[in-house]
Amino acid sequence: MNEILHESSVGERSLNFLEEIIESDIRQGRTRVHTRFPPEPNGYLHIGHAKSICLNFGLAKKYNGLCNLRFDDTNPVREDVEYVDSIKEDVRWLGFEWAGEYYASDYFEQLCEWAFELIRKGKAYVDDQTQEEIRQTRGTVTVPGQESPWRNRTVEENLDLFTRMRAGEFMDGAKVLRAKINMAHPNMLLRDPIMYRILHSKHHRTGDKWCIYPMYDYAHGESDSIERITHSICTLEFDVHRSLYDWFIIELGIFPSRQYEFARLNLTYTVMSKRKLLQLVQDGLVVGWDDPRMPTICALRRRGYTSESIRAFADRVGVAKRDNVIDLGLLEFCVREDLNRIAERRMAVLDPIKVVITNYPEGKTETISCVNNPENEAAGRREVPFSRELYIDRDDFMENPPKKYFRLSPGSEVRLRYGYIIKCENVLKDAKGEIVELHCTYDSESGSGGSSDGRKVKGIIHWVSAPHAVPAEIRLFDRLFSKESPDDVEEGKTFRDYLNPDSLKVVTGYLEPALADVAVGGKFQFERLGYFCKDKDSTAAVAVFNRTVTLKDSWAKIAMKA
Ligand code: ATP
Ligand code: MG
């Protein structure tokens, strides 16, 4: 028997149900594993798709198989090459390479031939009813549907009509081709489902060649079969479609691909349907598909997520057979965990108060050696300028502190990160009583570069040298929606009513000079503030940084249990 490699799961987790199915197939000699990821190019991919991508490509990799990228492009009206290109970019960025790039539209000829074959077998007919009439005569779960008056056309007549449908003789909606199954079938999807509709619409790949387009249920299984897909994985809502998937394959006697369903990924505080995401874009409620508040892959990338963290997230979420909703916090936990390992530390102050060190010589500058990444010694150190005037964050000073406040307050001492100990001697205010400046003294013996001097102070705060600081635009994001499940809409409202009005806050931050000219996409931990990523909106004059995620880590306990 073949030894099965579990490189990604040794000692970590048990098999998920899809792995169990595959391993059972392998034991029975069906050793070939061929999956596919089948997006419809009608929008950008989101984190839910990432789950499906990791699953399909991951299973293929684990079992030495292949995974195709198939564009399910059977609906010309909503599809576009812009989406095709973005999907390819996102899949590659996530770290996967497809075995073949296919398009359902490449199979239009074959699908059409098979439709003729079903007509010849008496298993399909042309119906002159409108789609509305067809819907109304489908019956209900308890009431059988009514047969169409056109159901018993002769094979010859059906062949002739379908040929003329294809040739463009009829207007949109004038006729459809239906599978002839059973109008009383307990599964409503098998009550003579529509296979083809007339649509005089230009397709982004086939142009004007076709004016009839196959429906999802007819095209999908057949496309799987053409590509000899062994395990066709889709989301749970398709389980009722499975008998229809099988029906076409059996009637046509083609390669028996099998469909398996898993629970789609849902996340709190966001919407994930492409239709809704498109609305947000079109109505200008976000700046685009890659607005860093969106759940799309390109937005997460722009915000500073790593592909590693998204793959780790998909893995942690696991593969469920029942629908569930995952806390957005888990995604944030995963990116924090990865960035903590890889992101270099820098100092930045987002809400400055000026500190003047009165006993430090005017005009003097020295450099302080700072550790780039305590998690990774190889990242080395850097020199950060230090001078008489600094900025610290307003949060790090309190005039009337409560007990156990270890940051700066009148008369108290703190250590400047990697630098000296300072003591606050005087608080300067303006006419309105606002604090404008703190006068401090420093202990020149307290040494720079850590606590080697042996003096212990409880608080350590970050700082930047004011004359050396580089101002930058900092974008602080919060959840896009303020409701945990914006898809659950109350009466008279739409999902948009739950948009969080404070999901974006822009401030001017003061950065240490080493951040002045990093590349777009560069990722850093701003000490004590969070992880930040340089945005593509940066210009030569002003850098723009996105806050990927704060440092606070409400998931720590949960992760430790896992
Ligand atoms: P939407 O409803 O957002 O338009 P979709 O399912 O129509 O999504 P497709 O482009 O058809 O989008 O999806 C491609 C693949 O990704 C399908 O196999 C689909 O099942 C899977 N997928 C889509 N959304 C999710 C999700 N939230 N979780 C897991 N898989 C998903
Ligand atoms: Mg779909």
Side-chain angles (χ1 to χ4, degrees):
M1 204 184 97
N2 285 344
E3 172 90 353
I4 299 160
L5 278 179
H6 302 270
E7 37 165 18
S8 63
S9 64
V10 178
E12 274 180 22
R13 57 168 171 83
S14 48
L15 298 182
N16 65 47
F17 80 95
L18 292 167
E19 292 166 333
E20 274 170 7
I21 289 167
I22 291 177
E23 298 204 359
S24 153
D25 287 344
I26 292 173
R27 280 194 296 276
Q28 292 168 52
R30 294 191 296 273
T31 53
R32 196 173 64 84
V33 173
H34 202 153
T35 57
R36 86 286 171 264
F37 172 64
E40 183 179 353
N42 62 350
Y44 283 68
L45 298 182
H46 52 60
I47 183 77
H49 294 115
K51 169 75 216 169
S52 173
I53 291 167
C54 291
L55 193 55
N56 279 294
F57 283 91
L59 286 171
K61 188 169 176 207
K62 178 167 179 181
Y63 295 103
N64 266 319
L66 300 170
C67 181
N68 291 351
L69 176 60
R70 163 150 19 98
F71 291 98
D72 211 341
D73 57 347
T74 53
N75 190 348
V77 184
R78 294 179 308 186
E79 296 165 0
D80 198 277
V81 280
E82 174 196 348
Y83 301 130
V84 170
D85 294 339
S86 76
I87 288 169
K88 291 202 277 190
E89 184 183 356
D90 288 349
V91 174
R92 283 211 176 94
W93 179 75
L94 277 173
F96 300 107
E97 198 47 58
W98 43 90
E101 175 184 333
Y102 299 104
Y103 295 80
S105 56
D106 289 343
Y107 309 140
F108 281 171
E109 197 63 55
Q110 174 70 76
L111 294 172
C112 192
E113 271 173 41
W114 280 336
F116 277 112
E117 192 175 323
L118 290 173
I119 294 173
R120 282 191 295 270
K121 282 180 71 178
K123 298 285 185 180
Y125 62 96
V126 172
D127 193 343
D128 294 3
Q129 295 182 106
T130 63
Q131 293 203 31
E132 188 47 37
E133 284 166 329
I134 291 172
R135 202 172 7 252
Q136 278 167 9
T137 50
R138 263 176 89 213
T140 66
V141 187
T142 46
V143 179
Q146 297 156 35
E147 296 193 349
S148 162
W150 312 103
R151 195 173 197 263
N152 294 314
R153 280 177 157 149
T154 63
V155 169
E156 285 65 38
E157 196 181 354
N158 282 318
L159 288 173
D160 172 60
L161 287 172
F162 190 56
T163 306
R164 288 161 57 195
M165 273 171 69
R166 177 182 173 162
E169 267 187 46
F170 308 113
M171 287 185 340
D172 287 6
K175 291 180 171 24
V176 293
L177 183 72
R178 294 177 77 178
K180 192 171 181 176
I181 305 179
N182 178 359
M183 285 308 289
H185 202 287
N187 180 343
M188 307 249 306
L189 288 173
L190 275 80
R191 294 183 185 171
D192 292 8
I194 298 174
M195 294 168 57
Y196 271 93
R197 67 231 195 270
I198 301 174
L199 216 53
H200 290 268
S201 180
K202 200 181 184 74
H203 185 279
H204 67 102
R205 295 190 83 236
T206 57
D208 291 320
K209 178 159 185 227
W210 295 89
C211 61
I212 54 169
Y213 289 95
M215 302 297 285
Y216 172 90
D217 279 321
Y218 178 62
H220 200 87
E222 288 32 59
S223 301
D224 283 343
S225 183
I226 291 169
E227 292 171 26
R228 304 181 76 76
I229 299 302
T230 54
H231 300 80
S232 175
I233 298 161
C234 61
T235 43
L236 227 47
E237 65 273 22
F238 287 97
D239 68 341
V240 287
H241 296 245
R242 192 183 338 110
S243 358
L244 185 52
Y245 183 101
D246 292 340
W247 189 88
F248 284 122
I249 284 178
I250 290 165
E251 289 302 329
L252 291 166
I254 54 180
F255 179 82
S257 298
R258 301 273 289 272
Q259 177 186 298
Y260 302 94
E261 308 89 21
F262 74 103
R264 68 192 297 122
L265 172 75
N266 300 300
L267 263 191
T268 54
Y269 299 103
T270 191
V271 294
M272 216 113 77
S273 114
K274 281 185 276 189
R275 187 177 51 80
K276 290 181 182 165
L277 296 176
L278 180 64
Q279 271 183 49
L280 295 176
V281 174
Q282 285 179 339
D283 298 350
L285 297 166
V286 293
V287 297
W289 284 98
D290 68 350
D291 184 307
R293 294 166 294 178
M294 293 274 274
T296 51
I297 295 175
C298 56
L300 291 167
R301 176 166 65 232
R302 181 172 174 190
R303 181 154 171 167
Y305 275 72
T306 57
S307 50
E308 173 82 11
S309 65
I310 294 177
R311 293 198 304 269
F313 171 72
D315 203 46
R316 259 171 208 272
V317 163
V319 187
K321 280 181 100 162
R322 285 235 313 265
D323 276 320
N324 55 23
V325 183
I326 304 293
D327 195 311
L328 186 59
L330 180 60
L331 182 62
E332 296 183 338
F333 169 82
C334 290
V335 72
R336 236 180 238 124
E337 191 177 55
D338 191 35
L339 291 175
N340 181 48
R341 268 190 317 112
I342 64 166
E344 292 198 358
R345 276 52 169 172
R346 295 289 183 269
M347 288 197 281
V349 170
L350 301 190
D351 185 10
I353 312 189
K354 187 177 258 185
V355 167
V356 178
I357 300 178
T358 50
N359 61 340
Y360 193 87
E362 265 178 75
K364 177 177 171 182
T365 299
E366 66 182 295
T367 56
I368 305 256
S369 169
C370 298
V371 173
N372 280 332
N373 185 353
E375 303 288 323
N376 172 20
E377 214 175 312
R381 302 179 79 98
R382 71 187 183 288
E383 299 295 314
V384 178
F386 179 86
S387 67
R388 191 170 191 266
E389 297 197 351
L390 311 174
Y391 291 129
I392 65 167
D393 254 307
R394 202 161 281 273
D395 268 0
D396 285 333
F397 176 79
M398 262 181 110
E399 198 174 10
N400 299 301
K403 266 193 191 152
K404 303 216 168 156
Y405 182 82
F406 298 127
R407 290 169 270 171
L408 199 59
S409 59
S412 83
E413 289 190 328
V414 285
R415 182 178 291 282
L416 297 172
R417 183 76 164 136
Y418 295 116
Y420 298 107
I421 292 173
I422 58 169
K423 182 174 181 183
C424 178
E425 311 280 3
N426 206 354
V427 181
L428 275 65
K429 297 182 181 173
D430 62 14
K432 281 183 277 171
E434 288 276 330
I435 297 169
V436 287
E437 213 169 275
L438 303 175
H439 283 184
C440 297
T441 51
Y442 85 116
D443 174 356
S444 62
E445 298 297 302
S446 62
S448 55
S451 49
S452 51
D453 52 89
R455 282 197 54 193
K456 285 223 167 66
V457 285
K458 284 233 168 89
I460 300 181
I461 64 173
H462 59 277
W463 53 275
V464 292
S465 164
H468 301 94
V470 182
E473 178 179 330
I474 311 288
R475 298 177 179 169
L476 305 171
F477 303 109
D478 197 355
R479 313 171 151 143
L480 186 52
F481 290 90
S482 36
K483 188 172 190 279
E484 191 173 85
S485 51
D487 286 313
D488 295 341
V489 179
E490 292 143 304
E491 224 181 287
K493 297 204 166 182
T494 77
F495 74 99
R496 292 183 234 193
D497 293 318
Y498 305 119
L499 279 165
N500 174 6
D502 301 316
S503 60
L504 170 63
K505 192 175 152 201
V506 180
V507 299
T508 299
Y510 296 85
L511 317 180
E512 66 168 78
L515 284 168
D517 41 30
V518 303
V520 168
K523 296 170 183 55
F524 298 90
Q525 183 193 103
F526 290 1
E527 297 240 13
R528 301 180 62 238
L529 296 176
Y531 294 97
F532 291 77
C533 176
K534 184 153 173 193
D535 191 78
K536 65 174 189 184
D537 286 347
S538 300
T539 63
V542 188
V544 177
F545 278 87
N546 299 318
R547 184 174 66 197
T548 310
V549 68
T550 55
L551 284 186
K552 251 211 232 87
D553 188 346
S554 52
W555 272 83
K557 279 181 243 119
I558 295 160
M560 272 160 65
K561 272 191 248 151

